[in-house]
Amino acid sequence: MTMKKVLIIGGGGGGLILANHLDTNEYDVTVVDKSDQHFYQPWFLYVAFKGSKRKISKPIGELIKPGVNFVKDEISTINLDEKKAYGSRKGIYDYDYIAIATGTVPDPDVIPGLRQVYEEYGDYHTNVWNSEKLWSHVSKFKGGTIAIGQASPTCKCPPSLLEGAFLLEEHLRKVGLKDKTRIVFFTPFPRAYPAEPMNKVVEPMVRERGIEVMPFFDVDTIDVQNKTITSLEGDSLKYDLPIVVPPCRGTKIKIIPETVQDEDRFIKADKKYMKIAGYDDAFAIGDCNTLPTSKTGVTAHLEAMAVSEIIQGRYAEFNGRINCPFDTAYGKATFVIADYNNPVAPYPPTRVKHMMKMTMARIYWMTLMGTADPIFEQFFKFTRPEKLNKKYATSE
Amino acid sequence: MDTTKIIDSRGAACPGPITDLARAYRNSKVGDILELWATDKGVRADTQAWATKTGNEILDVKEDPEKIVVKIKINKR
Ligand SMILES: Cc1cc2nc3c(=O)[nH]c(=O)nc-3n(C[C@H](O)[C@H](O)[C@H](O)COP(=O)(O)OP(=O)(O)OC[C@H]3O[C@@H](n4cnc5c(N)ncnc54)[C@H](O)[C@@H]3O)c2cc1C
C-alpha cells in the first residue's frame, strides 16, 4: 500500500511541530520552506534592545526527525481542488493532506512613508537583520522623542509590542538617557495592552516608568521630512527615532480557490480543527490563518498538535489556548493566558516567570522536536485560565 | 447601497474584538454598517470608546446567550 502524502508548507514552529508529530512509518511527510534556516523570533526583541548576539537560527534539516523530507523551495500557488502545490524552483508537489503554515508577511508599503522608515531604522519584529539595524540606532541614540508601536492592529505576539517599550526604557535608564528621552508608545487599541485584565497588571508599570501611551493610534501616514506620524483617528506624533512595526498580512501564495483567503490574505480556517473552509484534506496552521486568537508560537504549536492527531485519524481540537510570555523588563515577566471560553487572567509578573521565559528560549529547539511535550502538558494543566482567573480575580 | 459587514470575533480574548473592528475600519468606507459579534464582555466599553474617538456611530448593542452584537455605522474615514 502506498503511504499517504502529507505536504507541509513552511518550516516555522507550526510546520515543524506537525512534521515531527506524524508517524513516518505511516505517512510520507515533506516540509517545504523557502529558507533552509529556522529562526527563534522571540529573541528579535533582545537583539533590538539589548544588542544580543546569541545565535537564534538553526538549519531546518537539523530540526526534523529522521524520515521527514525537507525541500528548500518557495511555493507560489496551491490548488486545493487539484491537490497540487507549485514551487518556484523545484516544480510540482502533490498530496493527500496539505498543511499551510507560512506565517505572516510584513507589508510596509501600505502606509505612505513607512517603507523608508522601515529600511532606515529596521524594527523589532520582522527579522534578525532588522533587529540588528534597530539596535544600531538605539545604541547610538542621544536623547529626544522615541515613537514606538505597531502600525496596524494585525500583529503577531500581542505582548511583544509593549515588551519592546519596556526593554527600551530599561536600556535608556541603564545608559543614563532616561531624563533626556520621551518614550511614546502608540497603539491602535484603547489602552497600552489590548486585553483589559492584563492591562490592569501592566499599566501601573507603564506609568511608573514614564512611558507615555497614545491609544487609538492606527498609523495612516508617516511624513519622513517633518518626522511626524499621523493616525487614521486624526492624531499626530513627532519623533526623533521612529520604531514602527509594520502591518502584517497572510501569505503571498496564490491559493485556488481564492475565496479561502480574507482581504489581508489570511487563510480562513475553522477555529477548532484548522480545516480550510470547504476542505477536509487541507489545514492552515499558526500565524497564516484567521483563527480568533493571538498569533503566537504557542498557538501555532497547539494547533499543529491537534492537526497531527486529526490527520492520523484521532479526535482532537484546539481550544484557543494562548500562553504568551510577557517580559516586563528589570528581570520580571508574566504570561498572557486565556482560551476561547475564558478571558485573559490578570496574572502578575514575577522573577520566576522571567526565568521560565528565558528557559523557554533555551529549550525551544526541543519543543520543536516534541521532546518537551510532557513539560508543556504539566505547565498547561497548572495554568488553566479558569483556574488563574479564580485565583487572581480582582475585587470588582 | 450601504453594505453590512459581519465581523465574527466570538472567542477572541486577546488581542480581542477591537482588533477585528480596527482592521475592518481600515478596509471600510463611509456609509458601511459593521456588525461586530463578540463574546468578550469588554466589547461594549471598547467599541463605545472607539466610536467616540473615531467619530463613528454605535447604532445598537444586543446581547443573546451566545454573543454580543454591536452595530456600527461608519460616518468618518
Ligand atoms: C518579537 C517577537 C516576539 C515573539 N515572542 C513570542 C513568544 O514569546 N511566545 C510565542 O509563543 N510566540 C512569540 N512570537 C510569535 C511567534 O514567533 C510566531 O507566532 C510563530 O513563529 C508562528 O509560527 P508559524 O509556524 O505560524 O510561522 P513562522 O514561524 O513565521 O514560519 C513560517 C515559515 O514559512 C516559510 N514560508 C513563508 N512563505 C513561504 C512560501 N511561499 N513557500 C515556502 N515557505 C514559506 C517561512 O520561510 C517560515 O520559515 C513572537 C514573535 C515576534 C516577532
Side-chain angles (χ1 to χ4, degrees):
Chain A
M1 207 186 84
T2 52
M3 288 203 278
K4 289 223 177 304
K5 283 188 185 169
V6 182
L7 180 63
I8 301 171
I9 315 299
L16 291 184
I17 284 162
L18 172 58
N20 288 332
H21 282 82
L22 290 168
D23 182 351
T24 47
N25 296 314
E26 301 274 340
Y27 296 87
D28 174 0
V29 183
T30 301
V31 175
V32 181
D33 200 299
K34 60 181 177 178
S35 159
D36 53 11
Q37 296 290 317
H38 175 107
F39 287 86
Y40 180 57
Q41 300 175 30
W43 212 259
F44 293 168
L45 276 165
Y46 302 94
V47 175
F49 297 110
K50 287 184 184 278
S52 169
K53 298 258 187 292
R54 183 187 288 193
K55 188 170 177 320
I56 55 167
S57 66
K58 275 196 184 199
I60 292 177
E62 288 175 18
L63 298 170
I64 47 178
K65 67 178 183 183
V68 171
N69 310 299
F70 171 64
V71 184
K72 182 178 170 185
D73 196 358
E74 179 161 5
I75 299 297
S76 56
T77 306
I78 296 170
N79 187 322
L80 296 175
D81 295 320
E82 289 173 2
K83 296 182 160 222
K84 280 188 179 17
Y86 298 84
S88 335
R89 293 171 210 154
K90 303 255 166 64
I92 303 173
Y93 306 82
D94 52 12
Y95 62 81
D96 294 296
Y97 293 100
I98 189 168
I100 308 174
T102 42
T104 63
V105 180
D107 191 5
D109 294 312
V110 284
I111 294 173
L114 180 55
R115 165 66 64 185
Q116 210 179 323
V117 166
Y118 180 66
E119 280 178 5
E120 186 170 346
Y121 299 95
D123 75 325
Y124 56 106
H125 240 249
T126 48
N127 60 52
V128 69
W129 303 281
N130 278 336
S131 289
E132 285 167 358
K133 198 182 270 179
L134 179 56
W135 172 245
S136 75
H137 288 276
V138 167
S139 57
K140 283 191 219 106
F141 185 70
K142 294 277 175 284
T145 300
I146 304 183
I148 177 170
Q150 68 193 90
S152 82
T154 315
C155 217
K156 42 188 162 184
C157 193
S160 61
L161 287 311
L162 194 54
E163 284 182 288
F166 279 149
L167 294 171
L168 174 68
E169 191 274 343
E170 186 185 12
H171 163 76
L172 293 169
R173 191 180 295 268
K174 250 193 202 151
V175 297
L177 281 170
K178 191 58 215 302
D179 297 339
K180 293 193 189 134
T181 310
R182 215 183 129 211
I183 302 176
V184 185
F185 179 73
F186 59 88
T187 170
F189 303 117
R191 51 197 155 255
Y193 193 76
E196 171 73 20
M198 185 47 72
N199 187 65
K200 284 212 177 95
V201 175
V202 295
E203 216 226 17
M205 299 177 193
V206 173
R207 243 181 294 125
E208 185 192 305
R209 297 177 198 175
I211 298 169
E212 291 170 45
V213 179
M214 274 182 101
F216 292 122
F217 194 100
D218 210 325
V219 178
D220 190 30
T221 55
I222 303 181
D223 177 346
V224 184
Q225 242 81 52
N226 294 308
K227 299 189 166 203
T228 305
I229 309 177
T230 309
S231 74
L232 272 178
E233 294 82 4
D235 292 318
S236 60
L237 170 57
K238 265 187 101 62
Y239 63 78
D240 296 297
L241 174 60
I243 306 180
V244 186
V245 173
C248 64
R249 290 159 69 80
T251 177
K252 280 195 200 150
I253 299 174
K254 177 182 158 117
I255 303 181
I256 301 166
E258 60 185 22
T259 47
V260 301
Q261 279 170 292
D262 74 3
E263 61 263 77
D264 293 324
R265 307 196 66 81
F266 290 99
I267 305 166
K268 297 177 200 163
D270 79 272
K271 67 187 210 184
K272 282 187 180 167
Y273 311 112
M274 286 60 69
K275 281 187 183 163
I276 298 179
Y279 295 84
D280 268 334
D281 53 8
F283 301 84
I285 296 174
D287 291 356
C288 70
N289 68 28
T290 54
L291 266 57
T293 183
S294 328
K295 300 195 176 302
T296 73
V298 175
T299 43
H301 183 142
L302 295 172
E303 291 170 25
M305 301 272 281
V307 170
S308 84
E309 293 293 302
I310 295 167
I311 289 178
Q312 293 175 107
R314 296 185 285 266
Y315 184 82
E317 63 175 65
F318 172 58
N319 69 356
R321 171 73 192 243
I322 56 170
N323 197 85
C324 316
F326 193 160
D327 192 331
T328 53
Y330 301 100
K332 286 193 182 177
T334 181
F335 291 92
V336 182
I337 294 177
D339 61 28
Y340 287 148
N341 296 317
N342 294 283
V344 170
Y347 203 24
T350 59
R351 292 199 177 274
V352 171
K353 290 184 200 116
H354 191 265
M355 270 159 57
M356 284 160 83
K357 176 167 176 158
M358 293 299 132
T359 308
M360 176 62 206
R362 302 250 171 227
I363 65 166
Y364 177 69
W365 312 107
M366 274 168 72
T367 69
L368 295 177
M369 300 296 289
T371 36
D373 288 354
I375 307 175
F376 273 108
E377 263 166 42
Q378 285 303 313
F379 177 80
F380 287 150
K381 213 168 109 193
F382 285 108
T383 54
R384 285 210 309 271
E386 57 270 41
K387 256 191 189 170
L388 298 182
N389 268 309
K390 243 186 227 150
K391 184 158 177 206
Y392 296 100
T394 40
S395 46
E396 313 129 63
Chain B
M1 213 190 76
D2 292 348
T3 46
T4 297
K5 195 180 167 214
I6 292 174
I7 310 156
D8 189 353
S9 280
R10 286 175 297 174
C14 179
I18 196 77
T19 318
D20 297 323
L21 174 59
R23 223 180 116 198
Y25 180 46
R26 209 177 252 279
N27 297 326
S28 69
K29 51 184 190 319
V30 170
D32 281 358
I33 308 284
L34 306 179
E35 214 178 277
L36 180 64
W37 295 5
T39 44
D40 186 287
K41 297 267 182 261
V43 72
R44 285 169 180 269
D46 283 359
T47 45
Q48 189 54 61
W50 176 87
T52 308
K53 173 75 195 169
T54 54
N56 293 299
E57 191 182 343
I58 307 263
L59 298 176
D60 186 32
V61 185
K62 274 204 193 95
E63 190 163 348
D64 64 38
E66 262 125 60
K67 59 185 185 300
I68 303 167
V69 178
V70 186
K71 222 171 172 178
I72 300 147
K73 185 166 177 218
I74 301 298
N75 292 331
K76 237 182 95 188
R77 250 316 314 262

